[in-house]
Amino acid sequence: MTVDDNGCCPAVSGTVTLSSADDAEDPPVEEPPVENPPNDDDDDDWVWPSLCGWLYLLLMLAVLAFIGLWIASFTLFPASTALWVALGIALVAVVAALAVYTWVCNVSWCRRMRILGWMFGWCALGCVIAWAVSWFTLWFLLIGALIAGVIALIIGLMMARRNCDFLDLFAWP
């Protein structure tokens, strides 16, 4: 459509100016907000020192204590009742610290499973290393490695079913 004004009339206020479709910009399209955005990348949005950083440190200390007690429980055969009780208390501490960390810092399901899988993976690897260092005499360590390995495998399969990232034992979870 072409409008010819013949150059006789100046533009009057309150009039409409026509332009071609090539010059028009598309209006921005607003996406509806997502109620629960996925948190698959597990990037921590906190910086150290923060409450989430301290909670993560507390959780990792509980996890490391559990790993040490797991290996000690299977190294000493038969293990003392006090050592098994300490292992149970360490497991409760890990679960409680993980629950608080999850609640306060909004941690994804994949990250929680990655932490538990990392813990049991190192329990299994630690038992195998302790068995190899002990000149192959402590066969009870292999039972500890087998139990921890099966638990880590189950957690890994659960993570694979939900398309979580692969568990890396040689990096912090």
Side-chain angles (χ1 to χ4, degrees):
M1 174 177 183
T2 306
V3 177
D4 186 21
D5 62 1
N6 289 329
C8 70
C9 304
V12 180
S13 65
T15 60
V16 176
T17 304
L18 299 175
S19 63
S20 70
D22 294 336
D23 297 338
E25 293 182 18
D26 292 333
V29 178
E30 289 188 30
E31 305 244 348
V34 179
E35 291 187 22
N36 290 325
N39 191 12
D40 291 334
D41 57 345
D42 284 333
D43 288 334
D44 296 322
D45 57 354
W46 45 268
V47 292
W48 183 264
S50 68
L51 178 61
C52 289
W54 286 107
L55 289 174
Y56 182 74
L57 177 65
L58 178 70
L59 173 64
M60 286 295 108
L61 289 175
V63 164
L64 292 174
F66 179 84
I67 293 169
L69 285 169
W70 180 278
I71 295 168
S73 296
F74 286 98
T75 302
L76 303 174
F77 181 74
S80 67
T81 305
L83 194 56
W84 288 106
V85 169
L87 182 65
I89 291 171
L91 181 60
V92 169
V94 166
V95 171
L98 186 60
V100 170
Y101 178 61
T102 299
W103 180 64
V104 171
C105 301
N106 195 20
V107 177
S108 70
W109 185 89
C110 289
R111 176 94 185 237
R112 290 185 298 238
M113 290 297 108
R114 193 175 306 122
I115 290 169
L116 291 176
W118 186 87
M119 180 177 75
F120 283 109
W122 272 106
C123 286
L125 189 60
C127 283
V128 169
I129 291 170
W131 175 71
V133 170
S134 68
W135 300 100
F136 304 102
T137 58
L138 299 171
W139 291 98
F140 196 56
L141 281 167
L142 292 181
I143 295 171
L146 181 66
I147 293 170
V150 167
I151 293 171
L153 178 65
I154 290 169
I155 290 172
L157 291 174
M158 288 170 41
M159 289 174 63
R161 186 173 183 158
R162 289 209 179 181
N163 295 326
C164 296
D165 292 338
F166 183 71
L167 177 65
D168 184 10
L169 281 179
F170 298 103
W172 287 108

